Amino acid sequence: TMTMSTPLIQMEGIEKVFHTEDLETHALSKVNFAINKGEFFSIAGPSGCGKSTLLSILGLLDTPTDGRYLLDGVPVNGLSVKERARIRNEQIGFIFQSFNLIGDMSVEDNVELPLVYRRMEKKERRARVASVLERVQMSHRAKHLPSQLSGGQQQRVAVARALVGDPKILLADEPTGNLDSVNGEKVLDLLKQLQAEGSTICMVTHDDRYSNYASRTIHLFDGTVQRVVDTERPLDLKAGVLS
Ligand code: ADP
Ligand code: MG
């Protein structure tokens, strides 16, 4: 019987070359991997090894020089700029190291923005915003400005903004990079909880302390895959991963 489902993400032979004035940087070379639905996948490796480049390609913010990328079985290489923007808006949630909230907009307006771009009607937008703010425990700060929140709270709002459109995958680039260890752990606990509820997460980190949150970790070095390590702790195996 057909019980195997297609991986959510398939990367085949991904290459990325950056050309600047007189320099050619091979940022990614022969990168192959797949991410299954419900995984907490992490990308690790030292600074400059290609983690952010890979995440930008995963998030359709950049295109590979060569290779094939299938998102939920659909090849995304040849899509137009407009189609890529639509897929980004509807299927991908981004969380950045520096939160990237808009400073003169309230928490709830920040979280609502991706839905405004989607032309969703106001009533549904408001209901979704209220629901995700509750999920990240930030309802009580809905009318605040980002500058009135701690770093950990701002990142929880950024997680809510990434979640509000119900994306197929959450991409996080060093989401704990600007947080102290207590708040860093809180944000990772939140991501882990979202995974248990069925989300698929791909996180970049160079911090080994956090690698045990992931179910699998891909280690990059100089743009190539060194190894992929199963980091799932046995006790977590049944936590919603198969749903
Ligand atoms: P990491 O996120 O692992 O620190 P990056 O993906 O940012 O690494 O960078 C990988 C390599 O590609 C580095 O050598 C970097 O200097 C180079 N690079 C990244 N972006 C660009 C760009 N837009 N133009 C030229 N070189 C780039
Ligand atoms: Mg980076």
Side-chain angles (χ1 to χ4, degrees):
T1 52
M2 297 275 291
T3 49
M4 293 287 289
S5 59
T6 319
L8 185 57
I9 283 177
Q10 286 164 277
M11 290 290 201
E12 298 168 359
I14 297 294
E15 306 277 334
K16 182 68 185 183
V17 183
F18 289 111
H19 297 277
T20 45
E21 271 128 60
D22 45 46
L23 194 70
E24 190 172 280
T25 308
H26 222 120
L28 296 171
S29 182
K30 300 191 190 82
V31 172
N32 298 301
F33 64 91
I35 303 177
N36 295 309
K37 288 175 186 133
E39 267 200 283
F40 192 143
F41 193 83
S42 113
I43 300 170
S47 180
C49 72
K51 303 183 297 295
S52 294
T53 302
L54 184 53
L55 206 74
S56 297
I57 292 172
L58 277 165
L60 303 180
L61 293 167
D62 204 350
T63 50
T65 311
D66 201 1
R68 216 158 77 105
Y69 171 15
L70 304 179
L71 176 59
D72 217 2
V74 178
V76 292
N77 287 42
L79 299 180
S80 68
V81 170
K82 202 174 162 186
E83 286 169 318
R84 296 164 69 82
R86 188 179 53 78
I87 292 179
R88 256 199 319 274
N89 177 269
E90 292 178 358
Q91 306 193 18
I92 299 169
F94 289 96
I95 302 158
F96 300 97
Q97 178 172 346
S98 48
F99 322 135
N100 292 11
L101 299 172
I102 296 173
D104 60 1
M105 283 172 69
S106 68
V107 161
E108 62 183 3
D109 289 346
N110 265 281
V111 174
E112 187 180 0
L113 202 53
L115 304 181
V116 174
Y117 290 141
R118 229 188 254 193
R119 299 164 200 274
M120 186 181 279
E121 91 173 77
K122 179 114 189 154
K123 202 172 155 195
E124 186 178 355
R125 293 200 313 250
R126 286 287 157 179
R128 284 211 195 193
V129 169
S131 153
V132 287
L133 283 179
E134 193 140 310
R135 231 161 133 192
V136 303
Q137 301 183 342
M138 287 299 296
S139 307
H140 62 307
R141 294 287 182 268
K143 308 281 182 199
H144 283 57
L145 293 174
S147 59
Q148 298 171 310
L149 308 177
S150 72
Q153 289 177 324
Q154 288 185 58
Q155 194 60 303
R156 271 151 56 203
V157 172
V159 172
R161 180 187 54 189
L163 275 179
V164 76
D166 199 17
K168 284 182 179 161
I169 186 158
L170 282 178
L171 301 180
D173 196 348
E174 312 234 10
T176 59
N178 283 345
L179 301 176
D180 60 49
S181 59
V182 172
N183 280 303
E185 269 180 41
K186 277 192 188 164
V187 165
L188 281 165
D189 285 339
L190 173 61
L191 294 179
K192 192 75 188 160
Q193 182 197 331
L194 294 172
Q195 184 211 0
E197 292 167 16
S199 291
T200 309
I201 297 162
C202 180
M203 175 179 79
V204 162
T205 178
H206 66 244
D207 192 335
D208 278 345
R209 277 179 304 174
Y210 299 131
S211 57
N212 64 337
Y213 281 85
S215 44
R216 271 192 312 142
T217 302
I218 184 170
H219 291 267
L220 293 183
F221 190 78
D222 277 352
T224 62
V225 179
Q226 283 209 305
R227 58 189 190 281
V228 182
V229 182
D230 217 320
T231 36
E232 186 96 65
R233 285 166 297 180
L235 284 176
D236 291 340
L237 264 175
K238 293 183 184 69
V241 176
L242 301 173
S243 64

